[in-house]
Amino acid sequence: MTHLTLPENAVRRLSFYLAMEEFAARRLHLADDVFFLWQVDPTVIFGRNQVIENEVNLDYCRQHGIQFYRRKSGGGCVYADGSNVMMSYVTPSDEVVTTFSRYMQMVVAMLTELGLPATSTQNNDVLVGDRKVSGNAFYHLPGYSIVHGTMLFDTDMQHMLNAITPPQAKLDKHGVQSVRQRIALLKDFTDISIDEFRRFAVSHLCDKELQLTDEDVRAIDTLEEEYLKPEFIYGTKPTIQ
């Protein structure tokens, strides 16, 4: 698998990395799977079919400078910041079940090699023990599939618990009283740093590298504009073309 990198290491908006996934699928004419990791300033990301007011605590986000964006995949609402790691996987295949299964197996194998008792669920989560460390979502473009997800290395729990508003029914389904009771942080299970984890993940999953050009970055900036439109962010069912 190819590690996709940028020409500089600046922290960008979450919407840029969503556009980067789309750029890889639409413009790179991939013959191989690509993978990249990214981190962002405090941000909430929610699914394509979600009603923002039901999932995001907009007042809290605005008061605390937390950004919020919609993605083109389904699934639930997620909080991200510089203390956790986001993962993107793009493959020249549109087989949903096969793609998800292969990706989840790769992530579980990576964590297992770190000595962690990792497993995956039918809900596209990765667990360490019985607690969630990674949630993942999927969408496809013609001939390509994109999987992206979280890896909870560490995070600001106060923001996580207040920036998103999961329905009580979801919490009741898991028999817990708070989000914190059903998630775990990798820092609780390993002594490596977040930078060491990033390097380990890339070395375990990838055997070559492709660095994008400045021209590629400009093209990604153009694709990103759609993700920044208010009608995309606040609408309920964005269209994937």
Side-chain angles (χ1 to χ4, degrees):
M1 185 155 59
T2 298
H3 180 213
L4 193 63
T5 64
L6 291 165
E8 58 180 32
N9 292 323
V11 175
R12 297 174 177 270
R13 291 176 296 210
L14 185 146
S15 50
F16 174 89
Y17 299 105
L18 299 179
M20 182 172 165
E21 297 170 340
E22 193 169 338
F23 174 85
R26 292 188 185 278
R27 306 285 184 84
L28 290 184
H29 309 293
L30 299 174
D32 187 23
D33 299 346
V34 299
F35 174 82
F36 61 96
L37 299 169
W38 40 284
Q39 290 164 273
V40 292
D41 293 330
T43 308
V44 169
I45 176 175
F46 54 101
R48 67 172 178 242
N49 296 317
Q50 291 188 301
V51 178
I52 185 172
E53 292 84 0
N54 294 344
E55 305 293 336
V56 184
N57 186 335
L58 294 172
D59 288 341
Y60 183 89
C61 288
R62 288 165 178 150
Q63 290 167 9
H64 294 85
I66 298 172
Q67 303 167 51
F68 44 88
Y69 300 102
R70 187 185 296 275
R71 62 181 186 267
K72 293 186 176 180
S73 60
C77 192
V78 174
Y79 170 80
D81 60 26
S83 295
N84 63 28
V85 179
M86 308 296 284
M87 306 178 294
S88 293
Y89 171 70
V90 184
T91 181
S93 168
D94 53 12
E95 292 289 336
V96 177
V97 175
T98 302
T99 297
F100 237 129
S101 176
R102 183 169 67 249
Y103 174 76
M104 298 293 281
Q105 289 172 7
M106 289 190 298
V107 174
V108 167
M110 174 189 67
L111 294 179
T112 300
E113 189 169 322
L114 275 177
L116 306 181
T119 56
S120 62
T121 73
Q122 293 183 341
N123 294 325
N124 308 321
D125 294 337
V126 176
L127 310 181
V128 170
D130 61 354
R131 295 165 70 193
K132 178 178 175 178
V133 297
S134 174
N136 301 277
F138 168 98
Y139 78 101
H140 66 82
L141 297 168
Y144 293 92
S145 296
I146 295 172
V147 182
H148 42 211
T150 61
M151 183 58 69
L152 288 170
F153 190 92
D154 192 5
T155 195
D156 185 321
M157 294 305 306
Q158 189 70 21
H159 283 343
M160 174 179 282
L161 296 176
N162 286 284
I164 61 178
T165 55
Q168 188 61 40
K170 182 176 180 180
L171 297 180
D172 292 343
K173 177 182 176 182
H174 294 277
V176 297
Q177 298 302 311
S178 72
V179 174
R180 185 64 178 101
Q181 287 179 269
R182 57 180 293 265
I183 69 168
L185 303 175
L186 287 188
K187 71 168 188 175
D188 297 333
F189 300 96
T190 179
D191 293 331
I192 67 173
S193 69
I194 192 168
D195 289 336
E196 289 170 330
F197 172 77
R198 286 179 58 113
R199 290 192 292 270
F200 174 82
V202 170
S203 65
H204 178 87
L205 296 172
C206 303
D207 55 9
K208 48 185 160 309
E209 178 179 319
L210 172 63
Q211 184 176 91
L212 298 177
T213 66
D214 291 336
E215 182 179 356
D216 293 333
V217 171
R218 289 190 290 272
I220 295 169
D221 288 335
T222 299
L223 284 174
E224 183 190 10
E225 293 175 3
E226 179 185 355
Y227 293 89
L228 301 175
K229 293 178 179 178
E231 58 267 33
F232 183 89
I233 295 173
Y234 292 96
T236 56
K237 291 186 178 181
T239 299
I240 300 174
Q241 299 179 344

